Amino acid sequence: DSGVTQTPKHLITATGQRVTLRCSPRSGDLSVYWYQQSLDQGLQFLIQYYNGEERAKGNILERFSAQQFPDLHSELNLSSLELGDSALYFCASSVASGRSYEQYFGPGTRLTVT
Amino acid sequence: GQSLEQPSEVTAVEGAIVQINCTYQTSGFYGLSWYQQHDGGAPTFLSYNGLDGLEETGRFSSFLSRSDSYGYLLLQELQMKDSASYFCAVRVGNSGNTPLVFGKGTRLSVIA
């Protein structure tokens, strides 16, 4: 158990809909990262928040947005969903100190768009 | 940008040693990490190399050569539970909290 929690575990929805994925980082971690994992694209970085502020953006579509709240949990909002958005979405958190800068991944949310 | 290349699949026998290679092209280099992911599971951190040389953690070792833009993960005394996907990843910045760019992963199958 990494200490990172994500809800829901599974989500099935139709094209055109909007969903919200939720993540709580490990206690004390200020950084939250969102990654998308699909069969053809692998594990891709979407967006990072640090202590409530957006820190870095990766290959995130304009239809997707995220935020981090004062209690440090984060939400990833996916709208106007398309079949190609079906994927595993992982949230990760990290500590600022230490040598390895390892990231701790949550169990993921499997999104299926039908 | 960053790109990483690693073999898509490797098969090895239980008890043997296997090496998974990773070559990278980056605009700046801040260390190479390795993650393991079992089917249906989350990636978990295995190892990190910030400087050239070998890092050992139990049955797993990781090596880095920055001059060759190359690293590898070495798994010894393979066990069936080592069957998983292994990803190399680079950090995109120098601060402690930076995103990772992952390779596409190497699927390791351990056979009896």
Side-chain angles (χ1 to χ4, degrees):
Chain A
D1 184 357
S2 67
V4 178
T5 61
Q6 288 187 249
T7 56
K9 218 174 160 83
H10 301 277
L11 202 46
I12 302 174
T13 189
T15 53
Q17 294 299 304
R18 173 190 167 94
V19 297
T20 297
L21 313 184
R22 184 189 165 103
C23 165
S24 291
R26 293 186 329 149
S27 176
D29 287 354
L30 300 179
S31 247
V32 168
Y33 311 81
W34 287 97
Y35 293 90
Q36 178 193 58
Q37 187 173 35
S38 58
L39 279 173
D40 53 344
Q41 292 295 325
L43 201 58
Q44 294 221 313
F45 166 66
L46 295 178
I47 195 164
Q48 176 198 2
Y49 276 80
Y50 180 83
N51 203 19
E53 308 255 332
E54 183 184 300
R55 173 68 71 91
K57 248 181 174 173
N59 300 318
I60 188 165
L61 300 171
E62 283 193 17
R63 302 183 284 109
F64 296 1
S65 64
Q67 52 185 329
Q68 186 178 30
F69 296 86
D71 67 352
L72 300 178
H73 91 270
S74 177
E75 292 180 357
L76 179 68
N77 301 295
L78 315 176
S79 62
S80 303
L81 283 167
E82 301 175 0
L83 294 177
D85 298 327
S86 295
L88 255 177
Y89 291 84
F90 287 105
C91 158
S93 70
S94 68
V95 294
S97 60
R99 194 180 66 84
S100 63
Y101 310 116
E102 71 178 277
Q103 293 188 8
Y104 298 86
F105 283 75
T109 293
R110 182 172 292 281
L111 173 66
T112 303
V113 182
T114 62
Chain B
Q2 290 84 6
S3 69
L4 300 97
E5 294 287 330
Q6 49 182 131
S8 57
E9 290 182 8
V10 170
T11 300
V13 177
E14 192 177 15
I17 299 173
V18 72
Q19 179 174 312
I20 299 174
N21 299 320
C22 174
T23 57
Y24 58 86
Q25 287 187 325
T26 60
S27 49
F29 181 74
Y30 309 102
L32 185 71
S33 299
W34 289 91
Y35 284 76
Q36 178 193 58
Q37 184 181 28
H38 286 97
D39 283 346
T44 55
F45 173 80
L46 287 178
S47 187
Y48 170 80
N49 295 77
L51 300 173
D52 292 351
L54 195 67
E55 293 283 341
E56 295 179 85
T57 313
R59 294 187 297 113
F60 294 177
S61 306
S62 58
F63 172 82
L64 176 67
S65 168
R66 288 175 295 171
S67 60
D68 296 319
S69 297
Y70 163 75
Y72 66 71
L73 179 70
L74 193 74
L75 296 84
Q76 302 182 74
E77 299 171 21
L78 279 172
Q79 302 175 10
M80 301 299 283
K81 68 178 182 180
D82 297 328
S83 293
S85 291
Y86 293 84
F87 295 86
C88 56
V90 291
R91 290 165 53 219
V92 302
N94 197 26
S95 80
N97 289 281
T98 60
L100 293 169
V101 173
F102 287 85
K104 292 216 176 223
T106 299
R107 188 172 187 89
L108 170 64
S109 297
V110 179
I111 58 175

